[in-house]
Amino acid sequence: MPHTLVIIPTYNERENIEPIVTRVLAAVPGADILIVDDASPDGTGVLADALSARHTNVHVLHRLAKNGLGAAYLEAFTWGLSRGYHRLVQMDADGSHRPEQLPGLLAAADTADVVMGSRWVPGGAVRNWPWHRLALSRAGSSYSRILLNLPQRDVTGGFRVYSASALERMQLSRVDSLGYCFQIDMLLHAVRAGLRVVEVPITFIERTHGRSKMSGGIVLEAMARVTLWGLSGRGIRRPRATAPASSSRTG
């Protein structure tokens, strides 16, 4: 059994799924792929089944409805852990996460529990985004990390590698975010569990086919939820500084 499972959630990604699977197989030929399709009306699931029939290391998990990215990943994690994979990768189907950068993330996973592909560390970049989307993404990530006391820079990024032991320690049953907040929620659980989390710079590229599921309303809804988390004390608590002990002299 290969040690690595690359999880690719899909909803209406018919134009993108075959190219991305081909690129993943070329970049990490020893890995397995799990396509998690949320009953795409454009036939993505049918095409995924055809890819699985051609490649023994491509698997498909069909879900009955579009219930959110987080729910798709949580079901996929359960699927992968039950089959003994050592490392589980999250990545988008639309090409924004470059499969050619997977070997670098997996190499970092040799000494880390969680590896995050980061746009906002030195060496990271975003291509082909309009300025307003770039500003919204950076502001959302900064707001979340400050309010929740997270040390990582790209807290909303979705190109990640988790070790199986990390997922088992993160109490996934308590992750209740299904949408845009899912990545932030997962990071909170990882940091709380005392896991070693590292960020590796990546170049994020805007999709060329299909429509993005992201919108300003989705981001604002997520930021409202992060605000509630911060106000309710759900963020990471930093240890209080201890005052130096006073000393007295007698002479």
Side-chain angles (χ1 to χ4, degrees):
M1 172 68 70
H3 289 177
T4 300
L5 180 68
V6 180
I7 301 166
I8 306 176
T10 56
Y11 184 77
N12 286 349
E13 296 289 358
R14 184 176 178 84
E15 293 176 289
N16 294 312
I17 189 59
E18 186 165 5
I20 204 70
V21 164
T22 301
R23 290 170 62 190
V24 170
L25 292 176
V28 281
D32 275 8
I33 296 173
L34 177 64
I35 301 167
V36 187
D37 187 65
D38 276 7
S40 298
D42 72 343
T44 301
V46 176
L47 183 53
D49 285 336
L51 290 168
S52 180
R54 294 208 313 261
H55 303 283
T56 56
N57 53 342
V58 176
H59 312 276
V60 185
L61 181 60
H62 291 282
R63 287 161 41 83
L64 298 179
K66 189 175 187 295
N67 293 321
L69 184 69
Y73 271 128
L74 290 173
E75 192 168 339
F77 290 150
T78 300
W79 189 97
L81 290 172
S82 69
R83 286 161 176 79
Y85 290 96
H86 296 178
R87 296 181 296 192
L88 296 92
V89 179
Q90 293 182 187
M91 70 178 297
D92 290 347
D94 59 12
S96 55
H97 298 152
R98 298 169 62 201
E100 295 75 20
Q101 294 185 310
L102 263 175
L105 270 65
L106 290 170
D110 288 341
T111 54
D113 300 303
V114 181
V115 178
M116 302 169 56
S118 179
R119 300 161 289 184
W120 313 133
V121 295
V126 173
R127 292 183 188 168
N128 304 329
W129 263 9
W131 70 267
H132 56 85
R133 186 170 177 191
L134 187 64
L136 186 64
S137 180
R138 293 203 74 151
S141 191
S142 296
Y143 179 77
S144 301
R145 63 185 292 268
I146 291 168
L147 195 65
L148 301 175
N149 289 329
L150 288 165
Q152 291 75 25
R153 304 292 301 180
D154 192 350
V155 303
T156 61
F159 198 8
R160 300 183 180 182
V161 182
Y162 293 95
S163 70
S165 60
L167 291 172
E168 288 164 352
R169 292 170 58 189
M170 283 168 58
Q171 298 182 306
L172 295 181
S173 61
R174 296 188 180 181
V175 176
D176 57 2
S177 304
L178 302 182
Y180 187 69
C181 270
F182 173 73
Q183 310 296 2
I184 304 169
D185 204 354
M186 286 288 288
L187 180 58
L188 272 171
H189 279 73
V191 174
R192 279 204 207 98
L195 302 176
R196 183 165 189 265
V197 181
V198 301
E199 294 186 88
V200 173
I202 61 164
T203 299
F204 181 97
I205 302 177
E206 175 64 338
R207 66 162 66 229
T208 55
H209 300 292
R211 296 179 59 185
S212 172
K213 284 78 175 174
M214 189 58 59
S215 69
I218 290 173
V219 175
L220 290 175
E221 181 184 352
M223 292 306 98
R225 190 163 190 174
V226 166
T227 302
L228 289 175
W229 288 350
L231 294 176
S232 65
R234 187 170 175 177
I236 303 303
R237 295 183 180 179
R238 293 177 181 170
R240 293 181 180 176
T242 355
S246 57
S247 60
S248 58
R249 291 184 182 178
T250 56

